[in-house]
Amino acid sequence: MAGRESAGNRIGVEIGGTFTDMVWADAEGMLHTGKTPSTPKAIHEAVLNVVGEAEVDLAAIEQVTHGSTIATNALIMRKGSATGLLTTAGFRDVVILGRADRDHDIYNMRYVHPEPPIRRGMIREVRERMGPDGSVIEALDLDQAWREVEAFLRQGVDGVAISLLHAYANPAHEQALATMIRERAPQVAVFASHEVSPEFREYERSVTTVVNAFVGPAVKAYVDRLDAGLRERGYDGVLRIMQSNGGVMPARAAGDNAVRMLLSGPAAGVRAAIWFAARNGLRNIITLDMGGTSTDVAIAPGLVASTVTELKIDGLPIRTAVIDMGTIGAGGGSIAAIDRGGFLSVGPESAGALPGPVCYGRGGERPTVTDAQVVAGLLQPDNFFGGRMTLAVDAARDALAGLGLEGGPEAAAASILRIVNSNMASAVRLISTSRGIDPRDFTIVAFGGGGPLHAAMVARELGIRRVLVPWSPGIASAFGLLIADTMIDAAISDLHALDEGSLDAARIEALAARAASVARENGLAPDAYVLSVGVDMRYAGQAFELTVWTDASPRDPAALRELFEIEHRSRYGYARAALGVEVVSYRIRIVARSGIEVETPLPAGTGKAAHPIEIAIDGRRVCGVSLARDTLAPGARLAGPAVLGEPTSTTFVPPGWEVECLPSGDLMMVDAE
């Protein structure tokens, strides 16, 4: 039975490339916000700064939840720890060779294989061999293995990854090797594949383990510094970290499970979008999160975001549970340029926070999406970022004029916005139409700094008629951290034909025992969580599998097959009754509901009167109004074109659309044409 945690003082803090955002729920459940510049040279200090600036009494705080891109950045920039890999003799080049494919780009003669996560000189072999059934073919030679470890120590490694052949079937050799290193070289972090990713497929398992070892020490050091800083200031609770699956885990587990943090920020945003949709009575949503560098989209039919078992970062396959999202290089900082064919392109290259868009006046010289927004009149130069920043319109115009497009800066701005909107619409189609889902049955939930600005235009291109803009959309990810549930995933490989024992009472008992062990490791009481069971299945002969989820109760093979074929039809449009079905792996998911009840502030309904503006949209200039979002009280309606400004974001209501402030204080835009 799931327990409910206290809904007292809680904080959610997310670190972005430019700013660090905080949402704080006080003892009464009322929300307060904070925002401060990020501190790249000492990342954890921004969290301490934003808490201090908000004058939060940490001694009274019951829970702090944090999300960060530190693991992702360390991997992409290859700035992790010095890492060595121990693998079975004869398999040294698994992570170098990878798979002999071009990753869905088979006709690209210039395809470049992803850079391996580790140099060949940092990979060493140990004499041992397990069979795929877990039988010992060759015993582990610990003396020879220690000589290889000593060589690593002379090379100055900070961490050692261990990925031995078929360790998912029998981890005994990995366990012995890890125990030896931890005893003889306690200063070195050790990461074994049966602990990080106990699944078959040697390449993916090895890469995941190496990446975890590469970023794990940096994540652990960062989390330890943050935890110590919070405790020095009076915090006495458990620091929690957002995972890519949309749930949180205790910070003490972050270092050993760093790969679970790779998409923590976007996952928190999806979790927030689901919460806002639920409170407004919505059931089917598509999330649109536009930031400075990229746009993330996800789909949640019935307010359930699907998860997948693998993501790719910088071309590397990482086996970890993650919310199924699509990401494109379309953010406010995405650079517009003329390509070698003479065509206008937008992104994925970004101006970033520094120098940033030209209109920021920080040294940027290349035109960006934000510059196009300014020239089009969608961003008001004197009221950007709550009036704390003035945008240089003339500089943005000059930058767009430099593209040399016919029609001048306004035409260039219109073209840039059309391309960005089209790219976002294509990303939505990939997670909806391409999977047999009609996006017109969904409502877009738009957040991030730029999501509400583009969402209605993207929706119209897709035939979607409603867009929800939640409270304070620019800090939605921080809000998602505040309300997220604790969620821990684990996997167990067991390849066999679907039969009576696939999910019988004995199997359920074994999975429940494994779940209880995972719960204890993460500080959860036996009655504090709900257990779900996932079964990875495929048709015999297929290369990859689909996961079906069910509750922790026995299922006969016919029922399991029916669940699999429903999922197969949904994903691929067909099922094959004549083909046999195989079970590949089992998954357990334990969820402890947060139980937090919060209330977002309602708009005051007062503020400066709306003033007329001109907006260039779709190649024509139209007259509209600009006003503060807080001016619209619950029940108020406004017809577009209109620009609604607030400190964290800007909402654009196009011609033919109407916006209403709902009783919750959230905005609903509706296509009135």
Side-chain angles (χ1 to χ4, degrees):
M1 179 177 179
R4 289 178 62 85
E5 301 178 17
S6 168
N9 289 315
R10 296 189 183 191
I11 289 176
V13 185
E14 190 219 8
I15 295 180
T18 306
F19 292 99
T20 293
D21 301 326
M22 180 189 76
V23 179
W24 163 39
D26 62 24
E28 286 73 42
M30 290 299 296
L31 297 184
H32 312 269
T33 63
K35 200 176 191 75
T36 194
S38 295
T39 51
K41 293 183 179 180
I43 303 175
H44 69 287
E45 290 184 1
V47 177
L48 304 176
N49 291 343
V50 74
V51 171
E53 291 170 5
E55 299 182 351
V56 177
D57 180 11
L58 282 173
I61 296 298
E62 297 183 6
Q63 180 175 305
V64 176
T65 306
H66 175 51
S68 170
T69 58
I70 182 172
T72 308
N73 294 341
L75 176 58
I76 291 175
M77 296 186 291
R78 298 296 196 269
K79 291 184 178 180
S81 302
T83 301
L85 170 62
L86 290 175
T87 191
T88 302
F91 290 83
R92 183 182 184 186
D93 293 317
V94 165
V95 297
I96 305 296
L97 296 174
R99 298 206 171 273
D101 59 25
R102 296 184 182 176
D103 193 23
H104 302 92
D105 199 8
I106 61 174
Y107 299 110
N108 182 0
M109 300 303 294
R110 297 182 179 180
Y111 177 78
V112 177
H113 196 275
E115 180 185 347
I118 191 171
R119 293 184 293 107
R120 192 172 189 270
M122 299 301 291
I123 305 174
R124 296 184 177 275
E125 300 175 341
V126 297
R127 288 198 291 270
E128 68 85 42
R129 188 68 177 263
M130 288 286 184
D133 60 351
S135 61
V136 178
I137 297 175
E138 180 180 353
L140 172 64
D141 187 338
L142 280 175
D143 292 334
Q144 180 268 336
W146 177 246
R147 290 194 293 273
E148 301 298 337
V149 174
E150 288 181 312
F152 276 150
L153 297 178
R154 290 192 293 271
Q155 289 176 290
V157 300
D158 299 312
V160 174
I162 304 172
S163 185
L164 304 181
L165 193 66
H166 302 307
Y168 60 87
N170 183 350
H173 288 177
E174 282 197 353
Q175 290 169 340
L177 191 51
T179 298
M180 179 183 69
I181 300 173
R182 286 164 178 159
E183 289 177 351
R184 299 186 187 182
Q187 75 279 12
V188 174
V190 180
F191 302 87
S193 74
H194 73 276
E195 298 170 338
V196 176
S197 179
E199 302 182 54
F200 85 123
R201 293 196 177 98
E202 298 304 313
Y203 173 57
E204 288 82 357
R205 180 163 57 89
S206 297
V207 167
T208 302
T209 306
V210 169
V211 168
N212 202 76
F214 185 67
V215 302
V219 168
K220 184 178 186 305
Y222 161 74
V223 169
D224 287 348
R225 287 194 296 269
L226 175 58
D227 191 48
L230 292 170
R231 296 194 182 285
E232 288 174 1
R233 290 160 176 78
Y235 180 58
D236 192 36
V238 176
L239 175 63
R240 305 194 184 201
I241 303 295
M242 172 59 73
Q243 304 172 87
S244 303
N245 65 4
V248 298
M249 63 179 172
R252 63 175 176 271
D256 292 335
N257 301 279
V259 291
R260 296 183 185 179
M261 293 178 58
L262 289 169
L263 291 182
S264 64
V270 174
R271 191 57 57 204
I274 290 172
W275 188 93
F276 284 113
R279 80 164 178 175
N280 288 291
L282 303 178
R283 290 294 300 160
N284 299 317
I285 65 169
I286 292 171
T287 67
L288 182 71
D289 177 7
M290 182 182 185
T293 302
S294 63
T295 294
D296 301 304
V297 296
I299 190 166
L303 299 187
V304 177
S306 63
T307 58
V308 293
T309 58
E310 182 178 297
L311 74 154
K312 286 197 174 181
I313 299 290
D314 201 22
L316 299 174
I318 312 296
R319 297 289 291 180
T320 186
V322 57
I323 289 180
D324 190 6
M325 287 182 282
T327 300
I328 59 170
S334 296
I335 293 172
I338 304 299
D339 64 22
R340 283 182 286 183
F343 296 98
L344 177 65
S345 65
V346 182
E349 185 181 2
S350 174
L354 285 175
V358 176
C359 62
Y360 281 12
R362 296 175 177 172
E365 297 179 352
R366 304 172 68 184
T368 67
V369 172
T370 299
D371 296 308
Q373 294 165 345
V374 172
V375 171
L378 301 181
L379 292 179
Q380 299 303 294
D382 297 327
N383 194 34
F384 185 71
F385 193 35
R388 287 182 280 176
M389 187 174 180
T390 300
L391 302 178
V393 180
D394 290 340
R397 291 178 61 86
D398 291 342
L400 293 182
L403 293 172
L405 297 179
E406 183 178 351
E410 287 82 5
S415 297
I416 291 170
L417 296 179
R418 276 197 298 270
I419 290 174
V420 170
N421 293 335
S422 178
N423 289 344
M424 291 183 189
S426 295
V428 172
R429 292 188 184 100
L430 283 175
I431 62 166
S432 58
T433 308
S434 66
R435 300 177 184 177
I437 299 173
D438 189 344
R440 294 174 297 182
D441 299 330
F442 287 70
T443 299
I444 288 179
V445 181
F447 53 98
L453 196 65
H454 289 262
M457 295 183 285
V458 173
R460 176 163 285 176
E461 186 165 335
L462 293 164
I464 296 174
R465 301 185 64 85
R466 298 200 302 174
V467 174
L468 179 73
V469 180
W471 167 82
S472 206
I475 58 173
S477 291
F479 180 83
L481 295 169
L482 184 78
I483 52 91
D485 301 326
T486 297
M487 184 184 300
I488 309 294
D489 286 290
I492 303 167
S493 284
D494 186 2
L495 177 60
H496 64 275
L498 179 64
D499 58 25
E500 294 291 340
S502 292
L503 203 60
D504 60 6
R507 179 81 66 175
I508 290 294
E509 183 178 354
L511 293 174
R514 173 64 176 143
S517 175
V518 171
R520 285 194 301 272
E521 293 169 2
N522 288 274
L524 294 177
D527 61 346
Y529 64 88
V530 172
L531 171 63
S532 298
V533 173
V535 185
D536 292 356
M537 291 185 284
R538 66 187 183 187
Y539 286 121
Q542 283 186 317
F544 293 93
E545 55 279 350
L546 295 174
T547 304
V548 298
W549 289 92
T550 182
D551 57 12
S553 58
R555 299 269 181 169
D556 62 46
L560 276 179
R561 181 177 184 121
E562 182 181 2
L563 290 174
F564 166 70
E565 293 192 332
I566 290 172
E567 182 67 20
H568 203 278
R569 287 192 189 93
S570 174
R571 183 65 61 92
Y572 301 117
Y574 71 94
R576 292 288 184 264
L579 294 179
V581 174
E582 295 176 334
V583 173
V584 175
S585 300
Y586 293 89
R587 301 185 183 278
I588 56 173
R589 170 171 293 169
I590 57 178
V591 178
R593 301 297 180 188
S594 70
I596 186 171
E597 297 180 2
V598 296
E599 184 177 346
T600 58
L602 292 175
T606 60
K608 295 181 180 179
H611 64 274
I613 57 172
E614 276 197 352
I615 301 169
I617 187 73
D618 294 330
R620 58 192 177 94
R621 301 193 70 83
V622 296
C623 294
V625 296
S626 174
L627 69 161
R629 171 176 173 169
D630 200 48
T631 303
L632 295 182
R637 295 173 179 264
L638 179 68
V643 173
L644 310 179
E646 58 182 305
T648 68
S649 188
T650 299
T651 299
F652 174 52
V653 187
W657 284 68
E658 293 181 351
V659 62
E660 177 186 2
C661 183
L662 301 176
S664 62
D666 300 329
L667 299 179
M668 179 66 77
M669 290 192 286
V670 178
D671 190 346
E673 291 186 346

